[in-house]
Amino acid sequence: MNSSGFTVGVFDSGVGGLSVLKALLGEMPQAHFVYLADGSHAPYGERSAEQVAERAHRITQRLRETFHIDALVVACNTATALAIEGLREQHLGWPIVGVEPALKPAAALTRSGHVGVLATRGTVESARFARLRDRLESEASKPLHFSFQACDGLADAIERDDQSDIHTLSQRYIEALRSHAGTSAPMDTLVLGCTHYPFASEILQALCGPNVTMVETGAPVARRTRQVLEALPLPETQRVVVPGVTLLSTGDPEPLERAAQRWLGLQVRGQHLAC
Ligand code: DGL
């Protein structure tokens, strides 16, 4: 079955997951996407694991009940790191796709063997992230070193579209990444391990210079979502699904609406959803 006729839920703490939605729209233009920004609880990166898991459970339940979504994309590295296992247990056999920092593609790409990773504190300090990093470093057939940096405040600055804060924080974290690198090999690859960061990629690229390649996760996640949907059994009754996007925020929908217009060219009215 092809991926048309499906309704897919997508959520993030805020506007960051739009970088994933962009890739999903390119991969599955016939599907309908219900995008929820948890604006009243953003940012997730500096919240406790329990708080993030509680939000992820509540949002998933609400999107299933109210919007009858066929699958969910957790378009947030932090929520994936802290909540996806619990979500899958609770929604057994139901398709949930997560987003993880692209360490594996970066390991394949690096020539110097030094990969930098920027992510939220929640992601960097998670057991899931540590397992992925340790496994890749120990399995690598060539010297491989990951330097990582928790970027407190950066997702929030992107959320507020505060260019001055985005610049100051990006500079601080790129410098920190270099100063505690733990290897003399030059960093030639930078993983944007938070879905907000692609929206700061021009600033980050300018700070890192042209010899550093940025890696993000939107495209592989979109491909994976399409494969998952195409493997689903045919629904017993065919529903009519209008291709497009519904934009929801648990907070003020206006910043989401503006970001979707600016970055994705979407002319969609955002709605508030109490959840
Ligand atoms: N965009 C999210 C991520 O990928 C969360 C950022 C935040 O809310 O701190 O981790």
Side-chain angles (χ1 to χ4, degrees):
M1 172 173 195
N2 68 33
S3 55
S4 60
F6 282 111
T7 302
V8 182
V10 183
F11 88 90
D12 178 38
S13 60
V15 300
L18 292 175
S19 63
V20 179
L21 180 64
K22 188 176 183 181
L24 286 165
L25 284 166
E27 190 74 29
M28 291 176 287
Q30 298 307 319
H32 188 93
F33 296 95
V34 179
Y35 184 96
L36 183 134
D38 195 10
S40 61
H41 295 81
Y44 281 175
E46 292 128 67
R47 286 187 183 273
S48 71
E50 292 71 27
Q51 283 175 319
V52 174
E54 204 269 322
R55 292 307 299 158
H57 280 281
R58 191 183 280 244
I59 288 166
T60 306
Q61 203 60 41
R62 184 65 195 276
L63 290 178
R64 283 195 80 173
E65 280 167 14
T66 309
F67 299 93
H68 309 291
I69 55 172
D70 299 292
L72 177 73
V73 178
V74 181
C76 172
N77 293 263
T78 314
T80 300
L82 301 176
I84 201 160
E85 281 157 29
L87 281 181
R88 287 188 173 134
E89 266 168 39
Q90 182 139 12
H91 299 267
L92 223 52
W94 188 73
I96 301 177
V97 178
V99 172
E100 261 177 346
L103 267 55
K104 202 173 169 186
L109 208 67
T110 180
R111 278 188 299 206
S112 69
H114 180 192
V115 175
V117 185
L118 300 179
T120 67
R121 180 163 299 281
T123 299
V124 167
E125 292 180 356
S126 70
R128 200 179 162 92
F129 178 77
R131 278 200 302 274
L132 176 66
R133 190 190 65 215
D134 293 350
R135 183 167 57 77
L136 289 171
E137 279 183 346
S138 67
E139 285 174 359
S141 54
K142 57 187 182 186
L144 178 63
H145 179 81
F146 292 109
S147 310
F148 44 92
Q149 176 64 41
C151 303
D152 293 352
L154 184 54
D156 185 49
I158 294 168
E159 199 65 31
R160 290 182 285 107
D161 195 20
D162 183 329
Q163 293 300 315
S164 158
D165 274 6
I166 295 171
H167 194 277
T168 307
L169 291 168
S170 297
Q171 188 161 23
R172 179 182 307 163
Y173 294 133
I174 293 294
E175 274 167 19
L177 200 56
R178 288 205 164 111
S179 70
H180 66 67
T183 172
S184 57
M187 177 180 83
D188 67 353
T189 310
L190 182 67
V191 174
L192 305 183
C194 166
T195 54
H196 279 72
Y197 302 166
F199 298 123
S201 63
E202 274 181 31
I203 291 175
L204 291 166
Q205 186 75 68
L207 289 165
C208 289
N211 297 333
V212 174
T213 304
M214 310 265 159
V215 187
E216 52 160 308
T217 27
V221 169
R223 278 198 298 279
R224 174 82 194 123
T225 306
R226 185 169 55 75
Q227 287 161 0
V228 165
L229 287 172
E230 288 176 356
L232 288 179
L234 276 170
E236 279 165 24
T237 48
Q238 282 285 343
R239 280 169 299 148
V240 178
V241 168
V242 180
V245 176
T246 298
L247 289 180
L248 306 167
S249 175
T250 61
D252 178 3
E254 219 193 295
L256 174 65
E257 198 179 294
R258 267 203 314 272
Q261 181 167 5
R262 174 169 165 207
W263 290 323
L264 275 64
L266 285 178
Q267 306 278 355
V268 176
R269 198 69 199 233
Q271 301 160 51
H272 173 76
L273 182 83
C275 171

